[in-house]
């Protein structure tokens, strides 16, 4: 597979074309961003850790019957993926209240949400990823009703598979964000990444934060925590 010109540079990953028009390369950089790019730092080994973490999680999801963009690991920091036409919304499931939900609704961090709740956000840093509803998504043509239903169904399936996986490692999957795209067959496929950059994970007993909140809140040991999370679910990095 021949890496070709850059297609898109995000805050933490760069996407490259390849000599196969249906395949792309995702390069996970060490850049770590929070607050919509307001705080950016380079963290040693983070690109490698997230690339391998993402591949591991996506393989678990594939085993559970959830289609993902990932094809294979091609280097420490790069993965080969299927090209998708990305839908510009973020799908968030929350099992416990944290982050923007606490600020928005004035609820206490850590309360269990039963049943888990679902939110859509528009992917737009300049607007600080505003929350949107299904009518917005349909009216602006970002996705149709069937695609919206499928994104919700798949996000809840991912929640079930991964809540169990992290539970076995003594962790709570507090919340997470997924992004989907449409493949060449017109099917909705899980794209982007699942890493501790895009979810919240707490130790079940102590509720110690093990995810990107360590970076957002200046708690230190960010990549070390990601490596600990990986080892607790059976991935040695
Ligand atoms: P929030 O509490 O800031 O709304 O985030 C909810 C979850 O989604 C949290 O695990 C972080 C993740 N997330 C991202 O990864 N990127 C984003 O741009 C947003 C808004 C959330
Ligand atoms: N992913 C967003 C950013 O990089 C939001 C966040 O994680 O705080 O800025």
């Amino acid at each position: 597979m021949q890496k070709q010109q850059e297609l898109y540079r995000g805050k933490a990953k760069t996407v490259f074309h390849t000599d196969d028009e249906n395949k792309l390369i995702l390069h996970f950089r060490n850049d770590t961003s929070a607050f919509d790019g307001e705080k950016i730092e380079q963290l040693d080994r983070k690109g490698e850790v997230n690339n391998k973490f993402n591949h591991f999680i996506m393989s678990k999801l594939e085993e559970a019957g959830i289609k993902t963009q990932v094809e294979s690991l091609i280097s420490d920091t790069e993965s080969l993926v299927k090209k998708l036409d990305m839908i510009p919304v973020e799908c968030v499931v929350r099992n416990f209240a944290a982050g923007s939900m606490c600020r928005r609704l004035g609820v206490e961090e850590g309360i269990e949400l039963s049943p888990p709740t679902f939110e859509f956000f528009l992917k737009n840093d300049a607007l600080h990823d505003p929350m949107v509803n299904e009518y917005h998504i349909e009216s602006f043509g970002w996705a149709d009703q069937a695609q919206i239903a499928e994104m919700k169904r798949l996000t809840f399936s991912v929640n079930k598979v991964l809540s169990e996986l992290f539970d076995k490692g003594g962790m709570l999957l507090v919340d997470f964000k997924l992004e989907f795209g449409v493949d060449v067959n017109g099917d909705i496929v899980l794209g982007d990444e699942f890493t501790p950059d895009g979810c919240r994970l707490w130790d079940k007993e102590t509720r110690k934060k093990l995810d990107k909140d360590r970076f957002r809140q200046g708690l230190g040991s960010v990549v070390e925590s990601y490596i600990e999370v990986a080892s607790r679910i059976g991935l040695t990095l």
Side-chain angles (χ1 to χ4, degrees):
M1 189 59 55
Q2 208 55 44
K3 185 166 163 180
Q4 294 186 339
Q5 77 278 18
E6 183 177 310
L7 169 65
Y8 173 78
R9 186 181 168 89
K11 295 190 293 295
K13 298 191 292 302
T14 309
V15 186
F16 293 90
H17 287 284
T18 69
D19 51 0
D20 179 338
E21 62 170 354
N22 293 317
K23 303 274 173 13
L24 300 170
I25 289 173
L26 291 189
H27 174 222
F28 289 74
R29 308 195 312 271
N30 285 343
D31 293 329
T32 310
S33 151
F35 313 120
D36 307 313
E38 231 172 77
K39 174 175 177 175
I40 296 185
E41 282 173 30
Q42 294 257 315
L43 300 180
D44 237 23
R45 279 200 75 203
K46 208 208 50 153
E48 178 197 343
V49 167
N50 273 7
N51 183 41
K52 293 176 178 173
F53 193 105
N54 182 57
H55 181 262
F56 182 82
I57 294 286
M58 293 294 176
S59 305
K60 294 279 178 199
L61 295 176
E62 290 274 358
E63 279 168 28
I66 296 164
K67 286 214 286 177
T68 81
Q69 180 178 31
V70 174
E71 295 258 306
S72 59
L73 275 180
I74 53 174
S75 75
D76 279 353
T77 57
E78 294 165 309
S79 288
L80 185 67
V81 302
K82 291 181 202 74
K83 187 174 188 173
L84 300 179
D85 188 9
M86 294 303 291
I87 295 171
V89 299
E90 302 185 334
C91 300
V92 171
V93 160
R94 300 178 189 270
N95 297 306
F96 295 84
S100 72
M101 165 176 259
C102 296
R103 293 194 293 277
R104 205 175 327 110
L105 302 181
V107 295
E108 197 188 324
E109 183 179 81
I111 59 167
E112 189 166 2
L113 303 168
S114 180
T117 201
F118 185 100
E119 296 167 345
F120 281 117
F121 295 91
L122 175 65
K123 211 174 146 58
N124 186 320
D125 278 341
L127 298 178
H128 302 291
D129 293 349
M131 188 188 274
V132 291
N133 67 31
E134 298 182 20
Y135 288 90
H136 298 143
I137 295 174
E138 214 190 333
S139 301
F140 290 106
W142 299 320
D144 65 27
Q145 266 184 30
Q147 292 171 327
I148 292 168
E150 183 66 353
M151 289 194 288
K152 286 199 293 189
R153 185 186 74 80
L154 289 168
T155 306
F156 279 113
S157 297
V158 168
N159 189 42
K160 185 163 185 306
V161 175
L162 297 187
S163 290
E164 281 174 25
L165 178 73
F166 290 116
D167 179 71
K168 285 189 193 133
M171 291 170 282
L172 296 173
L173 178 58
V174 172
D175 59 29
F176 61 93
K177 179 266 301 180
L178 300 179
E179 294 178 30
F180 293 90
V182 181
D183 71 5
V184 283
N185 306 312
D187 293 332
I188 295 283
V189 173
L190 177 58
D192 192 50
E193 66 178 81
F194 189 103
T195 66
D197 269 3
C199 69
R200 290 193 171 91
L201 290 161
W202 296 346
D203 179 85
K204 235 186 335 190
E205 302 304 324
T206 64
R207 297 215 164 187
K208 181 183 174 192
K209 295 175 176 170
L210 299 167
D211 54 76
K212 200 167 82 175
D213 269 350
R214 300 201 67 79
F215 176 72
R216 294 190 188 95
Q217 298 173 9
L219 302 174
S221 305
V222 179
V223 179
E224 292 82 351
S225 292
Y226 290 17
I227 292 170
E228 179 187 333
V229 170
S231 101
R232 288 192 191 197
I233 55 173
L235 171 66
T236 306
L237 293 171

